[in-house]
Amino acid sequence: MFELPKLSYSYDALEPYIDASTMELHHSKHHATYVAKLNEALAKAPEWQNKTIEELLTSLNSIPESIRTAVKNHGGGHYNHSLFWSILKLNGGQEPQGELAKAIARDFGDFAKFREIFTQAAVGLFGSGWVWLVADAAGKLSVITTSNQESPISQGLKSLLTLDVWEHAYYLKFQNRRTEYAEAWWNAVNWEEVGARLNK
Ligand code: MN3
């Protein structure tokens, strides 16, 4: 059975960039629902119940058709949100250091350019989805978007950083102003964790 992961910070830790009400609703209701529905789907295919979330999302084509869409949507929802919480922190922001900073400079020119590309991807994504900084097998970084709860791990990519651009992630505070949400979010990013993911 999958469980809702505990946050390593309080719901108000990311204020004023991400408000406490949004965090509480997003984690305790939205994410919790993905976990519950993933467990519900897996109950119908017990042979898949002991797999990790990574194993499930990299084997979608082998999963019984009757639960495949549910695993893709709710398993993806669980994986994506777990990652999203982990790359945020109290007093986050600033810029990446070390290997990650070098890789960003190598593949995007500089941090400002990377940030602009990522933010533009968030603003331009139609409908509900996610923006990602990913690394391919050779370690090359790129910015991609996915729709709904699709996850780059299903495409064989390593996820380093992600921004949830479903309306439930920002509507309470920012209403339709997705650009303001994306700009504010940079101030809460946990670059140490993003950098550590590069070497995992
Ligand atoms: Mn969400």
Side-chain angles (χ1 to χ4, degrees), residues 79-101:
Y79 178 86
N80 295 350
H81 284 92
S82 299
L83 176 59
F84 184 59
W85 311 132
S86 77
I87 55 86
L88 298 172
K89 70 167 191 176
L90 174 70
N91 299 324
Q94 290 92 45
E95 293 189 15
Q97 305 294 324
E99 289 303 310
L100 178 61

Side-chain angles (χ1 to χ4, degrees), residues 6-198:
K6 286 200 167 59
L7 300 186
S8 62
Y9 43 80
S10 60
Y11 285 135
D12 64 1
L14 310 179
E15 292 268 11
Y17 311 113
I18 304 180
D19 62 293
S21 300
T22 297
M23 285 298 295
E24 182 167 6
L25 190 70
H26 200 174
H27 177 257
S28 73
K29 298 289 192 278
H30 288 278
H31 188 169
T33 300
Y34 291 116
V35 173
K37 291 195 169 174
L38 173 61
N39 287 331
E40 205 177 290
L42 292 173
K44 296 174 198 155
E47 69 277 21
W48 290 89
Q49 273 179 326
N50 293 322
K51 303 287 187 188
T52 65
I53 191 64
E54 290 83 3
E55 286 168 338
L56 291 172
L57 294 175
T58 51
S59 339
L60 287 172
N61 291 335
S62 313
I63 289 176
E65 231 181 312
S66 58
I67 64 160
R68 190 180 301 157
T69 301
V71 171
K72 182 180 169 187
N73 290 343
H74 304 298
H78 174 44
Y79 178 86
N80 295 350
H81 284 92
S82 299
L83 176 59
F84 184 59
W85 311 132
S86 77
I87 55 86
L88 298 172
K89 70 167 191 176
L90 174 70
N91 299 324
Q94 290 92 45
E95 293 189 15
Q97 305 294 324
E99 289 303 310
L100 178 61
K102 284 182 202 156
I104 286 174
R106 181 193 66 212
D107 294 331
F108 297 99
D110 58 29
F111 178 72
K113 186 66 190 165
F114 157 68
R115 186 176 148 148
E116 185 190 327
I117 290 167
F118 192 102
T119 302
Q120 282 309 310
V123 173
L125 175 60
F126 183 76
S128 295
W130 298 74
V131 187
W132 305 83
L133 173 65
V134 294
D136 68 13
K140 186 177 183 344
L141 305 186
S142 53
V143 170
I144 65 165
T145 61
T146 59
S147 291
N148 302 313
Q149 295 297 354
E150 278 170 36
S151 198
I153 194 172
S154 301
Q155 305 170 34
L157 296 167
K158 186 198 278 188
S159 303
L160 306 180
L161 174 70
T162 190
L163 173 59
D164 186 343
V165 290
W166 283 56
E167 283 190 344
H168 69 226
Y170 62 89
Y171 205 83
L172 281 183
K173 181 177 170 79
F174 295 98
Q175 288 83 48
N176 61 323
R177 302 187 307 278
R178 189 191 280 183
T179 309
E180 268 180 55
Y181 159 65
E183 293 290 356
W185 169 83
W186 290 105
N187 296 293
V189 171
N190 180 350
W191 287 112
E192 292 78 15
E193 177 61 23
V194 180
R197 294 187 64 82
L198 180 64

